[in-house]
Amino acid sequence: MMVQHTRRCREYTGPTPNSVAIRAKPTNKRPVEYLILEGRRRDELRDQAIAETKYQNQCDLKSEWEKATDKRIQRNTIVRRVDRLMQSETFNLEDRRERLREMLLKEEEDHIKEMEAKEETTIERQAKMRERAKFLKQKHEQERLQFVQEKLDQRWREECEELRATLSKRHQDDVFTERSDQIRMKEEQKKREKEIESMYADLWEKDVQAKKLREEQAAHEQMERNRETLRILQLQSEAIEKQKEEEKQLKEMEAAWLAEQQKMREQEEEFLRQEKVRKQQAAKRARDISIRLKNEKEAREKQEELALDMKILEKLLDDTRNEAMEDKQRKKELREENLRFMQYCALNRKEEEEREKALENHVNAEVEKQWAKKMEQYRKERAARKRLMENVMKTRQEQMEERKRIANALKDAEFAEKEAMFQAWQEHERIEKANKERALQKNRDYQAHLSMQIDYQAQMKQKEKDEEREEFLLGQEAEKEYQRRLKEALQRPANKIHPIRLMASHRSKSN
């Protein structure tokens, strides 16, 4: 539902046309000094705002000063409290130090008292000495009893006949066993020496055989390499000869081809010259025919004119003899006949010219046709010769390129083969040199090894001699010691081990 609004307007229409009334403007409710009062009110508000701002700034300054003062008071309070706590801590530390000092003095006094209490007296020292003497006496008595027991045992062993016989038999068995072991060890040592000598002899024989085999194999390989080198050189020489022969044939073919080309060029020039002559002759014949036809035409025209003149002359003579009427009639007829004859001559001349022209055109067309046919044939032959020549040249070029490529390939293959042969020769020389160096080093090593073996065998022999001499001296000393101990044993029997057996037992233990 739409609401209708009344339009506010000061104009009001009257009852009659063109009658309009205007309502007066309403009076202004604001007084005249409104602007002045409004300005004063704004100034008062501004002054009030400025005063409030100043008051607020003063309050802010006071608040900040109070906050700063509170912070300083709080900080000073904290500092005083910390100082008080530190001072109390210092006092506590001093108290602890004092208590520890007192405890240390007390412990030192207790330690001194304890040390004084632990000092030995004379009575205690005498009691300890008596206990020590008693212990040593008991120990000495035990050692004496043990020694006495050992001597009694030794005496029993020496005086027991069965034990002595058993020990003697065991001693004899040990001597025989040790002697057989010594003999067996010497035989084994001789056998080992013989095996070592035979092994070195076999090695020397094998080295000699291997050296001979290597030398024979090297000689055989050298002969094979020489044969292979000779075969390769022969193949190279044959290839070079074949290449020279092919180059010679190629040069001969090129010379024949150049001669053929020169011959074809001469034939072509001769054909062109003959064609030119034939063309000139044909043109001359056509010109002669044209001149002959023209002369015949001129002669025929002259004869016709002469015949016409004679006829006219005869008619004139006849007319002079006839009467005037007849003369007039005759002249008229003659004139008409002359006109007809002239027309006939003109028509005949025109036909003759047309026939001559047609004949000349026919002759020219025939000549041109024959010439075009000959030129077409010549062009075809020339194109065929050109194609043939191009094919020959292309084939020849391809053959030359193929031969050149084959020659380059042969050269590259020959160069590669030479390079391979040179590298193989270098490799062979290097291998031969390495083999020689290896064989020489092996011979040196073998010689050094043999010299070392000789030195070792000499050292072993010298060592054996020294050992035998040492054993002999030791045997002499042992014999002397044995005789001395035997005398002592006869005077004071005792169970002793033979020095050689003792030395053998020491050696077996050390081994």
Side-chain angles (χ1 to χ4, degrees):
M1 182 178 180
M2 296 181 63
V3 179
Q4 293 181 358
H5 296 281
T6 304
R7 187 178 62 177
R8 293 181 179 182
C9 185
R10 291 192 301 143
E11 294 179 355
Y12 292 94
T13 59
T16 60
N18 298 324
S19 61
V20 178
I22 298 174
R23 191 178 62 179
K25 290 183 178 181
T27 58
N28 194 358
K29 296 180 180 180
R30 294 177 180 178
V32 179
E33 63 274 8
Y34 170 75
L35 295 175
I36 297 170
L37 295 174
E38 188 67 23
R40 289 177 181 177
R41 189 178 65 80
R42 284 198 299 269
D43 292 338
E44 289 177 357
L45 291 174
R46 185 173 60 254
D47 294 338
Q48 185 179 359
I50 291 170
E52 289 178 356
T53 303
K54 288 181 179 180
Y55 178 73
Q56 186 67 32
N57 290 331
Q58 290 177 0
C59 291
D60 292 338
L61 288 173
K62 289 180 181 180
S63 177
E64 289 178 359
W65 181 79
E66 289 178 356
K67 288 180 180 179
T69 304
D70 292 338
K71 286 182 179 179
R72 282 197 297 272
I73 292 169
Q74 187 177 4
R75 186 170 59 253
N76 293 330
T77 303
I78 292 169
V79 169
R80 285 195 300 272
R81 187 177 298 173
V82 169
D83 291 338
R84 189 166 55 252
L85 291 174
M86 291 295 293
Q87 190 175 5
S88 63
E89 187 69 25
T90 304
F91 291 157
N92 293 329
L93 182 61
E94 290 295 332
D95 293 339
R96 288 179 62 192
R97 286 177 180 175
E98 187 65 27
R99 287 196 301 272
L100 290 172
R101 193 179 296 111
E102 292 176 357
M103 290 174 66
L104 180 61
L105 291 174
K106 187 177 180 181
E107 287 179 357
E108 287 179 354
E109 291 176 357
D110 294 338
H111 183 67
I112 291 169
K113 290 179 181 180
E114 186 178 357
M115 292 297 293
E116 290 176 354
K118 286 183 178 180
E119 287 183 357
E120 291 182 351
T121 60
T122 305
I123 298 171
E124 291 176 352
R125 192 178 297 110
Q126 289 177 359
K128 286 183 179 180
M129 289 175 67
R130 281 194 296 271
E131 290 178 359
R132 179 68 177 170
K134 186 178 180 181
F135 173 73
L136 293 174
K137 186 177 180 180
Q138 290 177 358
K139 184 178 180 182
H140 182 67
E141 186 65 24
Q142 288 178 359
E143 290 177 355
R144 188 183 66 80
L145 292 174
Q146 186 178 0
F147 180 73
V148 169
Q149 185 66 30
E150 289 177 357
K151 290 298 181 180
L152 291 174
D153 189 17
Q154 183 179 0
R155 182 179 178 182
W156 178 80
R157 285 176 179 275
E158 290 177 355
E159 291 178 356
C160 184
E161 188 66 26
E162 294 179 359
L163 182 61
R164 289 173 61 186
T166 304
L167 291 175
S168 177
K169 187 177 181 181
R170 186 181 297 173
H171 177 68
Q172 187 177 1
D173 293 337
D174 292 337
V175 170
F176 289 159
T177 304
E178 290 174 359
R179 180 60 181 169
S180 62
D181 291 338
Q182 290 178 359
I183 293 169
R184 182 177 55 78
M185 289 173 64
K186 285 185 178 181
E187 289 178 355
E188 289 178 355
Q189 186 175 0
K190 289 180 180 179
K191 187 177 180 181
R192 283 197 300 272
E193 290 176 356
K194 189 180 291 183
E195 289 177 355
I196 291 169
E197 289 178 357
S198 62
M199 181 185 68
Y200 284 122
D202 293 337
L203 289 174
W204 181 77
E205 186 67 26
K206 288 180 181 178
D207 289 337
V208 171
Q209 294 294 332
K211 187 176 180 181
K212 289 181 180 179
L213 184 62
R214 284 197 302 272
E215 290 177 355
E216 291 176 358
Q217 188 176 1
H220 182 68
E221 290 177 355
Q222 185 66 30
M223 291 176 65
E224 290 294 331
R225 284 194 296 272
N226 293 332
R227 290 196 191 95
E228 186 67 21
T229 305
L230 182 61
R231 186 181 65 80
I232 292 170
L233 291 174
Q234 289 177 357
L235 291 174
Q236 288 179 355
S237 61
E238 290 176 359
I240 291 169
E241 291 294 332
K242 187 176 180 181
Q243 185 178 0
K244 288 181 180 179
E245 187 67 26
E246 288 179 355
E247 289 178 355
K248 185 177 179 181
Q249 292 178 2
L250 183 63
K251 289 180 180 178
E252 291 177 357
M253 290 176 67
E254 287 179 355
W257 178 73
L258 291 173
E260 184 69 22
Q261 189 176 8
Q262 183 67 25
K263 186 177 179 181
M264 291 175 68
R265 192 180 294 111
E266 290 177 357
Q267 289 178 359
E268 185 177 357
E269 290 177 356
E270 182 66 23
F271 176 77
L272 291 174
R273 187 177 61 77
Q274 291 177 3
E275 286 294 326
K276 185 177 180 181
V277 171
R278 283 197 297 271
K279 188 175 180 181
Q280 290 176 357
Q281 290 177 357
K284 186 177 180 182
R285 285 196 299 271
R287 190 171 57 253
D288 292 340
I289 292 170
S290 178
I291 292 170
R292 183 172 57 79
L293 292 173
K294 188 176 181 181
N295 291 329
E296 289 178 356
K297 181 181 177 182
E298 288 178 356
R300 192 167 50 252
E301 288 178 355
K302 287 180 180 181
Q303 288 178 3
E304 289 177 354
E305 288 178 358
L306 183 59
L308 182 61
D309 291 337
M310 290 298 293
K311 190 180 285 186
I312 292 170
L313 184 58
E314 288 177 356
K315 286 181 179 181
L316 288 173
L317 291 174
D318 291 336
D319 289 339
T320 54
R321 286 191 298 269
N322 294 328
E323 295 177 352
M325 187 60 71
E326 291 178 359
D327 190 13
K328 188 176 180 179
Q329 185 66 29
R330 286 176 183 172
K331 285 181 180 180
K332 185 178 179 180
E333 292 176 358
L334 184 61
R335 194 166 40 254
E336 291 176 357
E337 187 177 358
N338 193 13
L339 288 173
R340 287 195 299 273
F341 181 74
M342 290 296 289
Q343 291 176 357
Y344 171 75
C345 288
L347 182 61
N348 193 9
R349 191 181 300 111
K350 188 176 181 181
E351 290 177 357
E352 189 68 26
E353 288 178 357
E354 290 177 356
R355 283 196 301 272
E356 185 179 354
K357 189 175 181 181
L359 179 61
E360 187 175 357
N361 291 330
H362 179 70
V363 170
N364 291 329
E366 190 67 26
V367 171
E368 290 293 333
K369 186 177 180 181
Q370 293 295 329
W371 178 253
K373 188 183 291 184
K374 290 181 180 180
M375 289 302 293
E376 183 68 23
Q377 185 68 23
Y378 171 70
R379 280 195 296 272
K380 289 181 180 180
E381 291 178 358
R382 187 174 181 180
R385 285 196 301 272
K386 187 176 181 181
R387 286 195 299 272
L388 180 62
M389 186 64 66
E390 288 177 354
N391 292 329
V392 171
M393 290 293 292
K394 186 176 180 181
T395 306
R396 182 60 182 165
Q397 187 69 24
E398 289 177 355
Q399 290 177 357
M400 291 177 68
E401 290 178 356
E402 183 67 21
R403 289 179 181 176
K404 189 175 181 181
R405 185 179 61 78
I406 293 171
N408 292 329
L410 289 174
K411 287 181 181 179
D412 294 337
E414 184 179 356
F415 180 75
E417 188 175 1
K418 287 181 180 179
E419 188 69 22
M421 287 179 64
F422 181 70
Q423 291 180 359
W425 178 75
Q426 287 183 345
E427 184 67 20
H428 172 68
E429 289 293 329
R430 187 182 64 78
I431 293 171
E432 286 291 330
K433 188 175 180 181
N435 290 330
K436 288 180 181 179
E437 290 291 335
R438 197 180 299 110
L440 185 61
Q441 185 65 30
K442 191 172 182 181
N443 292 331
R444 289 174 183 171
D445 294 340
Y446 182 70
Q447 186 177 1
H449 189 63
L450 287 177
S451 62
M452 289 174 64
Q453 288 179 2
I454 293 169
D455 295 338
Y456 177 73
Q457 290 179 0
Q459 290 177 3
M460 291 298 294
K461 288 180 180 179
Q462 185 66 30
K463 188 175 181 181
E464 288 178 357
K465 289 180 180 180
D466 294 339
E467 288 180 354
E468 289 177 357
R469 186 169 178 276
E470 187 177 357
E471 286 180 358
F472 178 72
L473 294 175
L474 289 174
Q476 287 182 352
E477 292 178 358
E479 185 66 25
K480 290 179 182 179
E481 184 68 21
Y482 175 72
Q483 292 295 332
R484 184 180 64 78
R485 289 193 177 186
L486 182 60
K487 289 179 181 180
E488 290 180 357
L490 292 174
Q491 293 176 2
R492 184 175 53 82
N495 189 9
K496 299 291 183 180
I497 300 174
H498 196 274
I500 296 175
R501 189 178 299 165
L502 183 62
M503 185 175 62
S505 64
H506 287 322
R507 285 183 181 178
S508 63
K509 288 179 181 180
S510 63
N511 291 327

